[in-house]
Protein backbone atom coordinates (compact mmCIF):
# COMPACT_ATOMS: atom_id res chain seq x y z
CA UNK A 1 0.00 0.00 0.00
CA UNK A 2 1.16 3.58 -0.66
CA UNK A 3 1.24 5.18 2.79
CA UNK A 4 1.84 8.86 3.44
CA UNK A 5 2.70 10.11 6.92
CA UNK A 6 2.23 13.75 7.87
CA UNK A 7 4.79 14.78 10.50
CA UNK A 8 8.35 13.62 11.10
CA UNK A 9 8.32 13.46 14.90
CA UNK A 10 9.00 10.21 16.77
CA UNK A 11 5.58 8.85 15.75
CA UNK A 12 5.97 9.63 12.06
CA UNK A 13 9.44 8.11 11.95
CA UNK A 14 8.48 4.99 13.93
CA UNK A 15 5.51 4.32 11.66
CA UNK A 16 7.53 4.96 8.50
CA UNK A 17 10.31 2.60 9.55
CA UNK A 18 7.83 -0.09 10.57
CA UNK A 19 5.66 0.14 7.44
CA UNK A 20 8.78 0.04 5.22
CA UNK A 21 9.84 -3.13 7.03
CA UNK A 22 6.46 -4.62 6.09
CA UNK A 23 7.02 -3.82 2.41
CA UNK A 24 4.78 -0.78 2.07
CA UNK A 25 5.66 2.20 -0.09
CA UNK A 26 6.10 5.03 2.43
CA UNK A 27 6.81 8.75 2.29
CA UNK A 28 6.76 11.33 5.07
CA UNK A 29 5.15 14.69 4.35
CA UNK A 30 7.29 17.16 6.26
CA UNK A 31 8.54 20.72 6.48
CA UNK A 32 12.07 19.32 6.77
CA UNK A 33 14.42 19.31 3.78
CA UNK A 34 15.99 15.96 4.70
CA UNK A 35 15.34 13.24 7.23
CA UNK A 36 17.89 10.52 8.00
CA UNK A 37 17.41 8.02 5.19
CA UNK A 38 13.59 8.09 5.14
CA UNK A 39 11.76 9.10 1.94
CA UNK A 40 10.14 12.54 2.28
CA UNK A 41 8.17 15.06 0.28
CA UNK A 42 5.94 18.12 0.64
CA UNK A 43 2.81 17.29 2.65
CA UNK A 44 0.39 18.05 -0.22
CA UNK A 45 2.27 15.85 -2.69
CA UNK A 46 2.57 13.00 -0.20
CA UNK A 47 -1.16 13.18 0.65
CA UNK A 48 -2.13 13.26 -3.03
CA UNK A 49 0.07 10.26 -3.91
CA UNK A 50 -1.00 7.98 -1.03
CA UNK A 51 -3.80 5.44 -0.60
CA UNK A 52 -3.73 5.90 3.15
CA UNK A 53 -2.46 8.93 5.07
CA UNK A 54 -1.46 8.98 8.73
CA UNK A 55 -1.77 12.26 10.61
CA UNK A 56 1.15 12.34 13.06
CA UNK A 57 1.62 16.02 13.80
CA UNK A 58 1.46 17.97 17.03
CA UNK A 59 -2.21 18.02 18.07
CA UNK A 60 -2.42 21.83 18.14
CA UNK A 61 -1.61 22.07 14.40
CA UNK A 62 -3.65 19.06 13.21
CA UNK A 63 -6.84 20.87 12.18
CA UNK A 64 -5.02 23.68 10.39
CA UNK A 65 -2.77 21.24 8.53
CA UNK A 66 -5.55 18.96 7.25
CA UNK A 67 -7.76 21.95 6.37
CA UNK A 68 -5.06 23.05 3.94
CA UNK A 69 -4.98 19.58 2.38
CA UNK A 70 -8.73 19.08 1.89
CA UNK A 71 -8.43 18.49 -1.86
CA UNK A 72 -5.56 16.01 -1.55
CA UNK A 73 -7.27 14.13 1.29
CA UNK A 74 -10.65 13.87 -0.42
CA UNK A 75 -11.78 10.23 -0.37
CA UNK A 76 -8.58 9.10 1.39
CA UNK A 77 -8.35 7.00 4.51
CA UNK A 78 -6.92 9.42 7.08
CA UNK A 79 -5.57 7.74 10.21
CA UNK A 80 -5.59 10.23 13.06
CA UNK A 81 -2.84 9.37 15.55
CA UNK A 82 -2.90 12.74 17.29
CA UNK A 83 -3.77 13.68 20.83
CA UNK A 84 -5.03 17.11 21.91
CA UNK A 85 -2.26 17.76 24.41
CA UNK A 86 -1.57 21.08 26.08
CA UNK A 87 1.94 21.04 27.56
CA UNK A 88 1.89 24.62 28.89
CA UNK A 89 1.39 23.53 32.50
CA UNK A 90 4.43 21.23 32.46
CA UNK A 91 2.85 17.80 32.17
CA UNK A 92 0.35 16.96 29.42
CA UNK A 93 -3.32 17.91 29.74
CA UNK A 94 -6.15 17.46 27.25
CA UNK A 95 -7.39 20.74 25.75
CA UNK A 96 -10.61 19.26 24.35
CA UNK A 97 -12.86 16.50 25.65
CA UNK A 98 -16.16 15.17 26.96
CA UNK A 99 -18.40 16.75 24.33
CA UNK A 100 -15.89 16.93 21.44
CA UNK A 101 -12.50 15.51 20.47
CA UNK A 102 -9.59 16.23 18.17
CA UNK A 103 -10.62 13.22 16.08
CA UNK A 104 -14.02 14.83 15.45
CA UNK A 105 -12.44 18.21 14.76
CA UNK A 106 -10.17 16.62 12.16
CA UNK A 107 -13.12 14.85 10.51
CA UNK A 108 -15.14 18.10 10.46
CA UNK A 109 -12.16 19.94 8.93
CA UNK A 110 -11.94 17.44 6.04
CA UNK A 111 -15.44 16.00 5.54
CA UNK A 112 -14.32 14.28 2.32
CA UNK A 113 -11.64 12.26 4.13
CA UNK A 114 -12.46 8.98 5.85
CA UNK A 115 -10.95 9.56 9.29
CA UNK A 116 -10.04 6.64 11.54
CA UNK A 117 -8.68 7.36 15.01
CA UNK A 118 -5.87 4.93 15.85
CA UNK A 119 -2.42 4.72 17.48
CA UNK A 120 -3.19 7.43 20.05
CA UNK A 121 -3.36 5.05 23.03
CA UNK A 122 0.18 3.67 22.80
CA UNK A 123 3.74 5.00 22.70
CA UNK A 124 5.68 5.22 19.46
CA UNK A 125 8.08 2.43 20.50
CA UNK A 126 5.29 -0.15 20.22
CA UNK A 127 3.31 1.19 17.26
CA UNK A 128 4.54 -1.41 14.78
CA UNK A 129 5.15 -5.04 15.73
CA UNK A 130 4.62 -4.70 19.49
CA UNK A 131 6.26 -7.66 21.21
CA UNK A 132 4.85 -8.03 24.71
CA UNK A 133 4.33 -10.97 27.04
CA UNK A 134 0.69 -12.08 26.84
CA UNK A 135 0.29 -11.65 23.11
CA UNK A 136 -0.77 -8.80 20.85
CA UNK A 137 -2.08 -5.69 22.61
CA UNK A 138 -5.31 -4.05 21.47
CA UNK A 139 -5.50 -1.02 19.21
CA UNK A 140 -8.78 0.79 19.75
CA UNK A 141 -10.06 2.52 16.64
CA UNK A 142 -13.01 4.77 15.81
CA UNK A 143 -14.40 6.22 12.60
CA UNK A 144 -17.54 6.75 10.55
CA UNK A 145 -16.56 4.80 7.41
CA UNK A 146 -16.71 0.98 7.79
CA UNK A 147 -14.53 0.31 4.72
CA UNK A 148 -11.85 2.72 5.99
CA UNK A 149 -11.87 0.96 9.36
CA UNK A 150 -11.51 -2.39 7.57
CA UNK A 151 -8.43 -1.08 5.72
CA UNK A 152 -6.89 0.30 8.92
CA UNK A 153 -7.80 -2.88 10.82
CA UNK A 154 -6.03 -5.01 8.20
CA UNK A 155 -2.92 -2.83 8.42
CA UNK A 156 -2.95 -3.03 12.21
CA UNK A 157 -3.38 -6.82 12.29
CA UNK A 158 -0.58 -7.17 9.73
CA UNK A 159 1.67 -5.14 12.03
CA UNK A 160 1.03 -7.06 15.22
CA UNK A 161 -2.18 -5.71 16.73
CA UNK A 162 -5.46 -7.02 18.00
CA UNK A 163 -8.11 -4.48 16.92
CA UNK A 164 -11.21 -3.22 18.76
CA UNK A 165 -13.65 -0.94 16.92
CA UNK A 166 -15.41 1.51 19.25
CA UNK A 167 -17.80 2.86 16.59
CA UNK A 168 -18.11 6.31 15.03
CA UNK A 169 -15.47 9.03 15.18
CA UNK A 170 -17.18 10.51 18.27
CA UNK A 171 -15.64 7.62 20.24
CA UNK A 172 -12.41 9.65 19.97
CA UNK A 173 -13.85 11.40 23.05
CA UNK A 174 -13.04 8.23 24.99
CA UNK A 175 -9.85 7.29 23.14
CA UNK A 176 -8.08 10.60 23.69
CA UNK A 177 -8.46 10.46 27.50
CA UNK A 178 -7.11 6.88 27.33
CA UNK A 179 -3.79 8.36 26.25
CA UNK A 180 -3.68 10.16 29.59
CA UNK A 181 -4.18 6.84 31.42
CA UNK A 182 -1.30 5.42 29.37
CA UNK A 183 0.90 8.43 30.29
CA UNK A 184 -0.10 8.31 33.98
CA UNK A 185 0.90 4.65 34.26
CA UNK A 186 4.18 5.36 32.48
CA UNK A 187 5.04 8.37 34.64
CA UNK A 188 4.23 6.48 37.83
CA UNK A 189 6.27 3.42 36.90
CA UNK A 190 9.02 4.93 34.78
CA UNK A 191 8.21 2.74 31.79
CA UNK A 192 7.05 3.58 28.27
CA UNK A 193 6.64 0.11 26.78
CA UNK A 194 3.19 -0.79 28.01
CA UNK A 195 -0.04 -1.16 26.04
CA UNK A 196 -3.71 -1.89 26.65
CA UNK A 197 -5.23 -5.29 25.94
CA UNK A 198 -8.97 -6.02 25.76
CA UNK A 199 -9.95 -9.47 27.01
CA UNK A 200 -13.21 -10.86 25.69
CA UNK A 201 -15.11 -14.08 25.15
CA UNK A 202 -14.27 -15.59 21.72
CA UNK A 203 -17.70 -14.71 20.31
CA UNK A 204 -17.55 -11.00 21.28
CA UNK A 205 -16.76 -8.37 18.58
N1 LIG B 1 5.06 10.42 21.05
C1 LIG B 1 4.27 9.36 21.16
O1 LIG B 1 4.73 8.26 21.54
C2 LIG B 1 2.82 9.48 20.80
C3 LIG B 1 1.97 8.38 21.01
C4 LIG B 1 0.64 8.45 20.60
C5 LIG B 1 0.17 9.61 19.97
N2 LIG B 1 1.02 10.67 19.81
C6 LIG B 1 0.50 11.86 19.11
O2 LIG B 1 1.01 11.77 17.79
C7 LIG B 1 1.33 13.08 17.27
C8 LIG B 1 2.81 13.11 16.90
O3 LIG B 1 3.58 13.00 18.06
P1 LIG B 1 5.18 13.13 18.08
O4 LIG B 1 5.57 12.79 19.46
O5 LIG B 1 5.74 12.37 16.93
O6 LIG B 1 5.60 14.62 17.77
P2 LIG B 1 5.15 16.12 18.03
O7 LIG B 1 6.19 16.79 18.82
O8 LIG B 1 3.78 16.19 18.58
O9 LIG B 1 5.24 16.75 16.55
C9 LIG B 1 5.16 15.97 15.41
C10 LIG B 1 5.40 16.80 14.17
O10 LIG B 1 4.39 17.78 13.91
C11 LIG B 1 4.84 18.44 12.73
N3 LIG B 1 4.35 19.79 12.53
C12 LIG B 1 3.72 20.20 11.40
N4 LIG B 1 3.40 21.48 11.48
C13 LIG B 1 3.84 21.93 12.65
C14 LIG B 1 3.84 23.19 13.29
N5 LIG B 1 3.27 24.28 12.73
N6 LIG B 1 4.39 23.30 14.52
C15 LIG B 1 4.97 22.23 15.09
N7 LIG B 1 5.02 20.99 14.52
C16 LIG B 1 4.45 20.85 13.31
C17 LIG B 1 6.37 18.39 12.79
O11 LIG B 1 6.77 17.62 11.69
P3 LIG B 1 7.64 18.22 10.49
O12 LIG B 1 8.73 19.01 11.12
O13 LIG B 1 8.06 16.99 9.81
O14 LIG B 1 6.73 19.06 9.65
C18 LIG B 1 6.65 17.63 14.08
O15 LIG B 1 7.80 16.82 14.00
C19 LIG B 1 0.94 14.06 18.38
O16 LIG B 1 -0.34 14.55 18.14
C20 LIG B 1 0.98 13.20 19.65
O17 LIG B 1 0.12 13.70 20.65
C21 LIG B 1 2.32 10.64 20.21
Amino acid sequence: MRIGILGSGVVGRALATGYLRHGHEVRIGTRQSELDDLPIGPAAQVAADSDLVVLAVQGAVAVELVSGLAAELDGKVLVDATNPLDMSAGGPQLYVGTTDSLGEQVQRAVPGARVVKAYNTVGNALMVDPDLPGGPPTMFIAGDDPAAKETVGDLLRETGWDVADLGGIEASRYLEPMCMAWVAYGARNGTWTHAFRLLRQPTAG
Side-chain angles (χ1 to χ4, degrees), residues 6-12 28-32 55-59 61 65 81-85 102 119-125 127 182:
L6 303 177
S8 66
V10 287
V11 171
I28 299 183
T30 175
R31 300 167 303 168
Q32 312 303 319
L55 183 61
V57 297
Q58 199 182 313
V61 304
L65 182 79
T82 66
N83 278 311
L85 298 182
L102 187 51
Y119 290 113
N120 76 301
T121 57
V122 70
N124 62 86
M127 285 182 175
W182 185 90

Side-chain angles (χ1 to χ4, degrees), residues 84-126:
L85 298 182
D86 173 4
M87 307 296 286
S88 60
Q93 297 191 336
L94 296 176
Y95 64 76
V96 60
T98 315
T99 57
D100 198 9
S101 61
L102 187 51
E104 289 164 274
Q105 292 179 356
V106 166
Q107 179 65 87
R108 286 199 298 271
V110 279
R114 302 182 289 148
V115 178
V116 179
K117 192 88 194 177
Y119 290 113
N120 76 301
T121 57
V122 70
N124 62 86
L126 291 180

Side-chain angles (χ1 to χ4, degrees), residues 61-83:
V61 304
V63 167
E64 188 188 341
L65 182 79
V66 296
S67 297
L69 299 173
E72 292 83 358
L73 291 171
D74 193 48
K76 298 278 165 72
V77 177
L78 179 61
V79 178
D80 175 22
T82 66
N83 278 311

